């Protein structure tokens, strides 16, 4: 039987005991094999021997798989240990190079040299991006745009925290954060002057489109509509919807999203649904313009 030739010494001993043979201590592999092959069971009941051999081989394969899994887990643990050691080494290097408590920055040679080279009045610069995100003009769906930004933000967080990666489907907080990011980026492009006035505590100019809306910045620096509804018990988005300019692509995407989501409602209904979260400047005429492009409604 070819299966016996593949067995090891301990496995031959198990097979011999399974078929009822007496195995003496200290028997070699060749002796065990000869004992099995010369037995009456091997000659008369070959199926019993074959079954015993197959059981032994199956147990060997299971043990091999278990050993492989254990080895993989061991390697994973070793990798994590190495990453932690590397992080600890980097942290120690930072501590070694960091000045002590008794270090006087103002009396240091570097500080004095830089101070001499840069004599003059201090200047504060406010720098902001004056261009809208290119992806906004390339997407034809608001939901798709929101999810793309959410995936990008997750990638950024995973890159910052490689040991605490977020996996799986996008969550509601991630989608909400992506929406805030989108709205804020658009507002800083189209309402930059108004935002600067609000941040400085100044009044808006008389030519501002937002003058009658009492806009303010919330804790996330999102520009929202103000007004008397702040004393109501409505949700934040209902009381103070986020301001959206009417002359950008994201405005059309939002209107189209609400129009389709509520089963192709008319201008007034779409505008009312929109204002539960967004406030579009010149909203009625803008919604009417977008809805005129809806092919299903035209049919």
């Amino acid at each position: 039987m070819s299966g016996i030739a593949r067995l090891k010494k301990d496995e031959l001993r198990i097979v011999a005991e399974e078929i009822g043979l007496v195995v003496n201590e200290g028997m070699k592999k060749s002796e065990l094999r000869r004992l099995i092959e010369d037995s009456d069971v091997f000659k008369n009941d070959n199926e019993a021997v074959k079954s015993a051999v197959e059981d032994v081989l199956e147990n060997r394969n299971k043990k091999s798989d278990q050993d492989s899994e254990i080895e993989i887990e061991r390697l994973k643990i070793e990798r994590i240990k190495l990453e932690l050691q590397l992080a600890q080494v980097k942290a120690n290097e930072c501590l070694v190079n960091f000045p002590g408590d008794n270090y006087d920055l103002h009396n240091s040679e570097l500080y004095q040299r830089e101070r001499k080279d840069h004599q003059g009045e201090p200047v504060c610069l406010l720098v902001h991006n004056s261009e809208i995100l290119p992806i906004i003009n390339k997407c034809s769906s608001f939901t798709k745009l929101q999810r793309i930004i959410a995936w990008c933000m997750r990638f950024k967080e995973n890159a910052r925290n490689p040991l605490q990666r977020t996996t799986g489907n996008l969550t509601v907080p991630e989608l909400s954060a992506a929406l805030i990011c989108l709205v804020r980026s658009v507002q800083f492009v189209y309402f930059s002057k108004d935002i600067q006035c609000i941040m400085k505590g100044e009044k808006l100019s008389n030519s501002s489109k937002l003058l009658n809306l009492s806009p303010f910045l919330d804790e996330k620096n999102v520009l929202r509509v103000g007004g008397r509804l702040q004393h109501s018990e409505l949700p934040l988005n209902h009381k103070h919807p986020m301001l959206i300019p009417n002359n950008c692509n994201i405005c059309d995407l939002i209107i189209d999203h609400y129009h389709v989501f509520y089963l192709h409602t008319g201008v007034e209904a779409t505008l009312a649904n929109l204002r539960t979260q967004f406030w579009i400047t010149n909203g009625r005429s803008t919604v009417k313009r977008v809805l005129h492009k809806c092919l299903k409604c035209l049919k």
Side-chain angles (χ1 to χ4, degrees), residues 40 128 130 191 228 232 256:
D40 294 336
H128 62 86
S130 60
F191 301 137
R228 292 174 295 176
S232 67
D256 185 65

Side-chain angles (χ1 to χ4, degrees), residues 125-131 188-193 196:
L125 296 177
L126 178 62
V127 180
H128 62 86
N129 190 4
S130 60
E131 295 182 358
F188 270 92
V189 174
Y190 289 89
F191 301 137
S192 58
K193 293 182 180 179
Q196 289 180 17

Side-chain angles (χ1 to χ4, degrees), residues 142 244 250-259 274 278 280:
F142 176 71
I244 301 293
I250 193 173
C251 171
D252 294 0
L253 294 179
I254 292 173
I255 294 173
D256 185 65
H257 171 74
Y258 275 84
H259 176 60
L274 267 171
F278 304 101
I280 298 174

